[in-house]
Structure formats: C-alpha cells, structure tokens
Amino acid sequence: MNLKFSQEDIKFKEEVKDFIMQNLDKNTQKKINNGHHLSKDDLVNWQKKLFEKGWMAPNWPEEYGGTGWSITQRYIFDEECGAAAAPSALPFGVTMVAPVIIKFGTKEQKAKYLPRILSSEDWWCQGYSEPGSGSDLASLSTKAEEIDGSYIINGTKTWTTLAQHADMMFILVRTNSDCKPQEGISFMLLDMKSPGVSVKPIITLDGGHEVNMVYLENVKVPKENLIYEENKGWTVAKYLLGHERTSIAAVSRSKKALSKVREIAKLNINGDSNLTDDSRFMDKVTKCDVRLQALEYAELKSISDDVKGIPPGPEASMLKIRGSEIQQEITELVLEASGYYANPYQPNIMDIGNNEPLIGPEWSSAAAPKYFNTRKTTIYGGSNEIQKNILAKMVLEL
Amino acid sequence: MDLSLNQDQELIKGSVEKFIIETYDSESRRKTIKNNLGSDDNIWKQFAELGWLGLPFSEKDGGFNGDLMDLNIIMESFGRGLVVEPYISTVILSGSILSFCPDSAIRNKIINNIINGVNKVSFAYAEPNSRYNLNDVSTIAKLEDKQWVLNGHKSVVFGAGQSNYIIISARTSGNRYDESGISLFIVESNNPGLEIQDYPTVDGFKAAEVKLNDLKISADSLISKENEAYKIMKMSRDKTLVAVAAEASGIMSKMYEMTLEYIKTRKQFGVAIGKFQAIQHRTVEMLILSDEMKSLASMAALKANDSSEGNKSIYASKIHIGIGGRKLAQEAIQLHGGMGVTEEMEIGQYFKRLTMLDTFLGNSDYYLGAYSKIS
C-alpha cells in the first residue's frame, strides 16, 4: 500500500493539466470558481472535449469506451479537474445509468445507448422521487401497464434534475401492486420526446432552475426499454445507488473550493488586515480540512475497490454523508468571508452577454445563493437520514 | 422585577399580531419583492397610521416614546410576518442616528417626515473594505467655500434607492481607522453628486452601492457634531441590534412552528415523519434554540441601557443569531426535505432572511470577538 506517484503517473498528470488548460472554456471555469450555475452548453462543450480525448468515462470498462486507468490515474484526473475548476460530467448518463446498462443491459441496449452517452448526444435524467415518495422511495406509485406489447406509464416524478434539457430518463415504475413494494418495481428507459411527457420547472430558493416536476400521461415505452427483468427494478436501483453515493462525495471539488476559501482569507477584506489573522475563522477552515482529508482517503479506498471490481458496500453511505456536509460547510465559509457583500442578488452576472455591473468581489457574487442551494446535498441522493438508516441496519446490524 | 408585558405593551402586541395575520399576507409580500419595489406604499401608510413609524422617537420629537421592549414586540411580529418594508433601515437605524444628533431644523424636519410616513431614510456606513468596523471610514468630507464636498464609496446601503434622504458617515479629520474625526451628513438622494446603484438582495430586500463624486452639500447638512459621530453610530447600531434580535426571534419561532407542522403531516414509510424519535429530538432542539433566541432578545431589550451589562446582552443576542439561528434554519430546511429548498415554500423565505441577519451590522464571529474583549 502506498500513495506514491510513479514517473509515468507524473507524466500523466502533466498531460491532464495540459489538456484542461487547452480545452476548458474560461467563462465556465470562472462560473465554477465563483459558485454560479452552468448552462447546458457549458457542460456539453466540456464533455465533448473529454469524449474527443477518450476521457469521458473513467468509470467504465475499457471494452465499452472506458479509459482503462489505474486507481492512481483516476485520482490524478479527478484532482486536476477539481483543481482547475473543470465541470464534472453530468452524472445521470455516464456515472449512473451507464454502469446499470453495462451490468444489466442487453447487447442491443448497450449498443444503442452507451455510445450516445459517451458522445453526449443524449442528456439523461433520473426519474426516481415522486411527490409522496422521497425518502421512502419503494412506495413509488407511477404505474406501468403492459398494453399491446408496450408499457403505458402514468404518474408524476419530482426533483428531476435538469430534466428541461433531457433526451432520456431512467425511471422506476410500479409493474405490480400485489406484493411487497420493493418487489413490484421495474427499471426502464424512457424517451423524453414521447407524447405525454411534460416538464414543469421547480424554482429553488436560490432562484435557480435545476429541478423539475415531470408529468407522465399515457407515455408509451417499448418493451425493449425494460432493464433486467420486470419487477426486479429495486435490485437495479440498489446497484445504481451504491455508485451514486460514491460519486456524490465530491472530494476533489471540495478540495478546490476549500483552497479557494484559504485564498479569499488572504485578501484584504477587513480593513488592511485579512481573515488569516482571524483564528475564529481559520479554525473553521482547518476543521473542515481535517474532515476532508479523512474523506479523501475513504474515497480513494472506494475507487481502489471499484478498480478491482468490488462493488460499493453500505460504507458508501458514509462518503455521501460526510461529502455532502463538507460541501455545505465550505459554502458557509465563503458566505462568512463575504461579509455584507453576501447581500446583493446577481444570479446572472457571469452569463455571456450580461452587462450588469458586478457588485462587490467576484468570489462573493454567488456566496449566499450557493449556500442556499447547497442545502440540497444532504437531502438528495437518499437523504442523510436515510443513509444513516442504511448504516444502522447494514453495518451496525441493528 | 416583573417580566410580564404592561397594558400598553399588550395593546401594541395585539395590534401588530393582528396586522401581520390579517393584512400582511405572503402573496402581496412576494409581489412587492417581484416588482422590485422594496416597499408597499399602502403598507407603509398603515405603519404610519398605526403609530409604528413614530414608536421609538421621543415625545419631544413628535414620537410615542416607545422603549426597547415596545420595539422588541413590533419586531418579533415583523419577523414572524417576514416584513420586507425598510422599517429597520429607516425608523430604527436612521431614526436612531437622527434622534441622537443635536437639534437642528433639518434633523427635526426629517424625523417628523419619518413619523408621518412621508420620507424614508437610509444610513450609509459600510465601505468596500470596512467589513463590520464602523470606525473604518475612508470617505472624505471637506469644507470648501462654506459647502461640504464628499468623496467616497458606500457599500450595501439598505433601502438607499427608495429613500428620500441618505445619512453618510465621512471623515472630517484623522486617519482611516480613528474613532474620532468621523462626522455625519444628510443629503437628499436626488443630489447629482450621488451615484446610486440599486439592486435586490438575496432575501427580498433592496440595497445599493452609493458613490459620492464631489458631492456638494450645504453647511447645515452636517448633522452630528464635527468629528464626534462615532459614539452616535455605535449607540444607533446597538439599538438596532436589539430590534434585529427580536426579528430573529420571530423568524425562529415561526420556523420552528412551520417545521413542527410539517413533520406532523408529511408521511413516509406509512407514518408521519414526526413519529420518528430521531426527528422528534431534532425538532425539540429547534424549540430550545428558538426559545433561547426569545430570551436573549428580551434580555437585550431590558438590559441595553445598563452601562455594565448592556453591551454583553446585545452582543449575546447577535451571536446566537449566527450560531443557534443558523443551526435552527438548517434543520428546518433539512426536515422539510426537498420541499425545503423550493422557492415556493415559505420556510425557505425565512431561512434566507435569518441567514442574512447574521451578516447585518456584524456577524457572530465579529461579536464573539467583541464580547470576549469586554467580559
């Protein structure tokens, strides 16, 4: 066991750095650095560069277009992307549904969807939560009935992230109501352009439009879009959730964000002095850093297992809990550093073509909205309460 | 010692509670925010008619001689109703400044206009690098040909774009951080020497950057004693903090109640989530935090003028907004789950306001430092 980089690793690190420098759009970088929302183009343009380079899917087996990287290379890639404020690829395709298709999909499904995920031709969204089924996901009631060789789907999905751009949705639907809730769920792929799909925005408390309600009214899904077997969707969903929890830890991004806090603390924002002289503030930064170090090791361990083909266990819930808390803590630190310049509301200040004058420093321009928005991290992806239930049951065996 | 409200206070409490419940609905509040107005004229007029705009002013100044507990009562309800009208910036902060300034024609006229609801006033103290230090003043005022000429940049001036007058702290002598050498000026907001860049704040209020470019004003615009304004600024800030604590107390009690209601009605796993012990304990903690805020706000109102304990009780209340208030607010959102992060749910509106109250006039870290120094 060691954490050392080989000569080749160091060369790879340089290659990643160069790639990012040459391909990352400066305005996208600025938005990430300052906590602003990205547009669809910001993300897709970056993903297409990754695709051209063959780096879109570090988590896939090589035969499907994965990178075949060692754990060290994956670590280096994440680190460098984080450090340069490059976007993370939209997770719903490449890190969520793709591993499911690779594990459970038919040959045809693999051939049809995987290349389109790699090339960012399809934008995916996740149809899990429903208005009455959040933490208690298994109680979901969106129904799929088989009629004339197709499924007809009726129901409402909610909190559907970026569904306004989506071409495809992976969805959990009820195919049997006369059994334990978990045993009557199926996992399907739904074309968002199908008749009967309507998407309605949910505006979040930072004023952003990230999530949506998706109404499904007699939406026809061909039988070949079923993944695995009918009524075995819960098995598929559990497999996927393990992957989601691992990627949700956002270690490299948090490392970058925290180092940005340290940079901010060095600025003269308190008369002639700066926050590095304020031990009250700096101790909070350091406490956060300590937890982040522990999380980093835990995440590395999980990537190491992943490279060896060991599936994520319930411990992945720990990554999700701490990772989400740390993301929130960092937004609190930026908010505190901003002082009264956290007040101005200027959500579109970094959009191309926006000519509004910037109020206060660039780094504080989204401090409060980012803090508000980041409350979501302990709620989504299985709330932290649910993660604790999982740990209590699976690890503590209570 | 008697900690119950007197008859007058019961009357004020009754009328403001009634107003918030019956008149100040969230729909019209949201409309005021959406239309970028900062204030509803009709509501402001009612504030005047109900006597609230004159409450903290002395009878000599035409006010109702209300004490800090009266203010606490009003502000707690304003917190519960999430009032966006610039009551704090006009009546309490600017109003205190004016009332602490020596008698003058312009001072008396503007106080009268505040009480009647005719004028709104903002206080411009912060500067781009001053953070929370009132003594950090780089804006310069010079007397030239019997006129004051001011140059500088004032930051995040609440309500400036909607005010008729702006009070400005400026240096008339000494160096950047000196407590002496600061003076207060009042200027009509349409003066061409003022550049006012108006914007909405993240919690639905309005603020502006105010730049003074060779702003020329008459000699009588100096409303404090020359060079001796720091004490007035600090006294006004501290009085305002008493009001802020009460507003936070109202917000926190409301957030606790809304969350309690939510966990009683939201069902998952076949039962109301409030049936889960983990949720119960967390909600009880919210109750305690909210109760502590109410206690600290009341303590601050009662002790503010006590020379030895006053500052401590005021700072304590402000510290709790940043620490206990933040904790309560985060729990409220978490227990509301996904609904908590939507713009549509009221809980998020309270969350935002409480968050920003921490940054107003100095955050919890700032007052932890101040408290440690004096105790």
Side-chain angles (χ1 to χ4, degrees):
Chain A
M1 197 153 113
N2 69 73
L3 289 168
K4 285 202 188 89
F5 289 171
S6 67
Q7 210 52 37
E8 264 172 42
D9 293 334
I10 293 166
K11 243 165 79 191
F12 177 71
K13 189 179 160 100
E14 288 312 309
E15 191 189 351
V16 175
K17 266 194 169 145
D18 283 351
F19 170 80
I20 295 172
M21 208 164 70
Q22 282 163 25
N23 291 287
L24 178 58
D25 175 73
K26 292 285 170 286
N27 198 54
T28 304
Q29 190 177 35
K30 190 167 103 175
K31 283 187 191 173
I32 292 183
N33 251 325
N34 297 294
H36 286 264
H37 288 292
L38 297 184
S39 69
K40 180 180 181 181
D41 283 349
D42 290 332
L43 206 52
V44 169
N45 290 343
W46 171 243
Q47 290 184 181
K48 290 201 160 154
K49 304 274 191 196
L50 288 174
F51 169 61
E52 283 160 24
K53 178 80 180 166
W55 287 356
M56 180 60 190
N59 60 321
W60 294 12
E62 245 177 310
E63 52 176 313
Y64 298 108
T67 50
W69 285 339
S70 65
I71 170 186
T72 320
Q73 285 174 309
R74 275 178 63 177
Y75 171 78
I76 289 170
F77 180 73
D78 281 351
E79 275 284 297
E80 293 307 319
C81 285
S88 307
L90 188 76
F92 307 104
V94 69
T95 48
M96 293 171 75
V97 77
V100 160
I101 294 173
I102 289 168
K103 167 100 177 163
F104 298 100
T106 62
K107 220 183 197 170
E108 291 73 25
Q109 287 170 335
K110 288 176 189 172
K112 182 168 178 187
Y113 296 110
L114 295 178
R116 296 172 66 87
I117 291 173
L118 271 186
S119 64
S120 297
E121 256 171 285
D122 288 339
W123 181 292
W124 284 80
C125 66
Q126 178 185 34
Y128 272 31
S129 294
E130 296 179 7
S133 305
S135 286
D136 183 9
L137 185 59
S139 71
L140 61 90
S141 61
T142 292
K143 238 190 171 120
E145 284 172 297
E146 204 186 318
I147 297 172
D148 298 336
S150 292
Y151 292 107
I152 302 298
I153 299 186
N154 279 289
T156 304
K157 293 291 177 182
T158 191
W159 313 127
T160 317
T161 301
L162 300 175
Q164 69 266 38
H165 307 313
D167 305 294
M168 294 293 297
M169 169 190 270
F170 58 92
I171 183 170
L172 291 178
V173 290
R174 182 152 303 286
T175 36
N176 188 353
S177 311
D178 302 324
C179 53
K180 272 176 69 184
Q182 286 86 346
E183 288 163 9
I185 292 171
S186 299
F187 189 107
M188 297 179 185
L189 311 178
L190 181 152
D191 187 335
M192 291 292 281
K193 289 182 283 294
S194 314
V197 177
S198 53
V199 178
K200 187 180 151 246
I202 299 173
I203 303 302
T204 44
L205 78 176
D206 61 328
H209 175 200
E210 273 183 319
V211 286
N212 302 276
M213 298 284 277
V214 180
Y215 299 97
L216 305 165
E217 212 177 310
N218 293 320
V219 179
K220 200 166 160 184
V221 172
K223 271 204 93 170
E224 71 235 33
N225 284 21
L226 172 72
I227 293 283
Y228 198 38
E229 292 165 28
E230 208 175 274
N231 299 323
K232 291 279 170 67
W234 196 248
T235 310
V236 179
K238 277 204 296 196
Y239 177 80
L240 188 154
L241 275 177
H243 282 270
E244 185 186 11
R245 272 166 213 148
T246 317
S247 63
I248 222 163
V251 171
S252 64
R253 189 153 307 286
S254 287
K255 278 173 79 173
K256 167 67 178 175
L258 200 57
S259 74
K260 173 102 185 171
V261 173
R262 289 196 189 272
E263 274 172 47
I264 291 167
K266 287 180 195 144
L267 302 170
N268 283 352
I269 52 178
N270 189 12
D272 284 335
S273 70
N274 50 45
L275 288 177
T276 50
D277 299 328
D278 181 348
S279 59
R280 253 176 218 103
F281 182 78
M282 292 315 291
D283 282 357
K284 284 186 259 191
V285 178
T286 299
K287 279 176 189 167
C288 189
D289 223 346
V290 170
R291 306 216 297 169
L292 187 52
Q293 274 198 40
L295 185 71
E296 184 180 13
Y297 186 86
E299 192 198 49
L300 275 177
K301 180 78 175 65
S302 84
I303 299 174
S304 164
D305 288 348
D306 190 33
V307 169
K308 288 190 191 128
I310 304 167
E315 295 79 8
S317 290
M318 287 197 255
L319 294 178
K320 197 272 165 169
I321 292 170
R322 278 296 188 262
S324 57
E325 289 172 352
I326 288 170
Q327 287 177 69
Q328 292 180 336
E329 278 172 34
I330 295 171
T331 66
E332 288 178 37
L333 293 168
V334 179
L335 179 74
E336 285 177 30
S338 298
Y340 47 69
Y341 270 128
N343 282 283
Y345 182 53
Q346 34 190 351
N348 307 316
I349 198 79
M350 284 179 189
D351 291 354
I352 301 284
N354 185 310
N355 298 321
E356 283 171 60
L358 174 74
I359 310 293
E362 217 167 54
W363 57 266
S364 71
S365 60
K370 181 79 177 171
Y371 167 70
F372 300 152
N373 179 280
T374 307
R375 299 318 305 166
K376 72 188 175 189
T377 61
T378 48
I379 296 167
Y380 69 25
S383 70
N384 285 19
E385 289 75 16
I386 289 300
Q387 307 295 348
K388 286 179 183 173
N389 284 351
I390 291 171
L391 288 166
K393 193 170 166 195
M394 308 298 286
V395 179
L396 278 59
E397 295 180 2
L398 292 172
Chain B
M1 192 146 70
D2 178 8
L3 293 181
S4 54
L5 299 181
N6 64 31
Q7 214 173 2
D8 286 350
Q9 289 168 335
E10 289 288 2
L11 276 175
I12 297 175
K13 190 172 151 75
S15 85
V16 66
E17 280 179 352
K18 186 163 172 267
F19 177 84
I20 292 299
I21 291 167
E22 290 177 6
T23 310
Y24 204 83
D25 61 294
S26 85
E27 208 173 301
S28 26
R29 173 184 175 273
R30 281 175 189 261
K31 215 159 108 193
T32 306
I33 294 171
K34 203 169 166 231
N35 295 340
N36 219 3
L37 298 172
S39 179
D40 178 332
D41 287 345
N42 186 35
I43 294 283
W44 198 253
K45 213 175 111 205
Q46 291 181 67
F47 283 3
E49 285 161 5
L50 288 158
W52 300 338
L53 300 181
L55 184 75
F57 295 99
S58 70
E59 275 173 29
K60 187 182 126 287
D61 281 333
F64 298 100
N65 225 3
D67 65 12
L68 292 173
M69 204 58 213
D70 299 334
L71 211 53
N72 170 288
I73 293 166
I74 295 259
M75 285 312 301
E76 187 176 328
S77 273
F78 278 14
R80 292 182 63 86
L82 222 50
V83 169
V84 287
E85 276 66 22
Y87 187 78
I88 285 195
S89 64
T90 288
V91 179
I92 303 180
L93 186 53
S94 305
S96 303
I97 296 266
L98 288 166
S99 52
F100 289 132
C101 281
D103 254 357
S104 70
I106 190 160
R107 167 199 178 276
N108 297 348
K109 180 184 96 181
I110 295 171
I111 288 181
N112 197 41
N113 285 348
I114 290 177
I115 294 171
N116 295 333
V118 177
N119 283 165
K120 295 197 184 83
V121 185
S122 292
F123 177 35
Y125 50 95
E127 297 186 1
N129 267 16
S130 70
R131 207 162 168 84
Y132 303 127
N133 306 304
L134 293 176
N135 56 310
D136 183 351
V137 179
S138 300
T139 296
I140 301 288
K142 280 186 185 148
L143 198 54
E144 287 172 11
D145 299 331
K146 294 184 182 167
Q147 272 196 320
W148 287 102
V149 182
L150 276 69
N151 278 288
H153 176 176
K154 293 293 181 181
S155 313
V156 195
V157 185
F158 288 97
Q162 295 72 43
S163 284
N164 309 86
Y165 290 94
I166 298 175
I167 301 169
I168 297 164
S169 60
R171 190 157 288 290
T172 37
S173 73
N175 297 313
R176 179 171 167 187
Y177 304 106
D178 293 348
E179 288 180 6
S180 70
I182 303 169
S183 305
L184 292 170
F185 298 87
I186 192 151
V187 50
E188 279 189 72
S189 55
N190 58 7
N191 187 306
L194 282 177
E195 186 189 328
I196 298 178
Q197 209 174 351
D198 182 52
Y199 48 80
T201 67
V202 294
D203 55 349
F205 281 68
K206 299 279 286 178
E209 297 302 288
V210 177
K211 290 173 187 161
L212 324 173
N213 310 315
D214 283 327
L215 169 70
K216 293 190 179 66
I217 42 180
S218 59
D220 68 352
S221 307
L222 171 68
I223 51 167
S224 69
K225 281 188 191 158
E226 195 174 332
N227 298 325
E228 289 177 24
Y230 179 74
K231 201 176 159 205
I232 290 180
M233 289 165 65
K234 195 173 167 299
M235 276 161 43
S236 304
R237 180 198 69 185
D238 290 349
K239 185 170 173 183
T240 306
L241 291 181
V242 172
V244 168
E247 181 181 351
S249 166
I251 292 173
M252 285 169 70
S253 65
K254 183 83 180 181
M255 289 183 88
Y256 154 72
E257 287 163 23
M258 291 164 98
T259 306
L260 176 60
E261 184 58 30
Y262 189 78
I263 65 165
K264 280 181 184 170
T265 46
R266 170 68 178 173
K267 281 191 177 148
Q268 287 287 269
F269 306 102
V271 291
I273 59 172
K275 290 281 175 206
F276 300 122
Q277 205 173 39
I279 304 284
Q280 291 172 358
H281 289 178
R282 288 165 71 171
T283 312
V284 168
E285 186 62 26
M286 288 176 66
L287 165 68
I288 297 172
L289 290 168
S290 158
D291 202 58
E292 284 174 331
M293 190 69 241
K294 191 170 169 59
S295 300
L296 289 167
S298 304
M299 196 69 123
L302 294 173
K303 275 193 171 177
N305 297 322
D306 178 325
S307 57
S308 64
E309 294 288 312
N311 279 341
K312 271 161 69 174
S313 63
I314 292 170
Y315 298 170
S317 68
K318 191 67 170 69
I319 291 165
H320 191 65
I321 295 174
I323 299 175
R326 183 189 287 179
K327 176 78 184 152
L328 174 140
Q330 292 178 346
E331 287 288 84
I333 296 294
Q334 184 71 21
L335 294 179
H336 273 80
M339 293 308 292
V341 292
T342 62
E343 177 66 16
E344 191 191 342
M345 286 286 276
E346 282 297 291
I347 195 78
Q349 309 303 309
Y350 287 86
F351 173 77
K352 290 196 266 189
R353 178 61 183 157
L354 189 57
T355 301
M356 299 326 288
L357 276 184
D358 179 40
T359 70
F360 185 51
L361 295 169
N363 68 3
S364 52
D365 274 4
Y366 179 81
Y367 288 103
L368 279 169
Y371 193 109
S372 300
K373 247 180 244 165
I374 56 172
S375 48

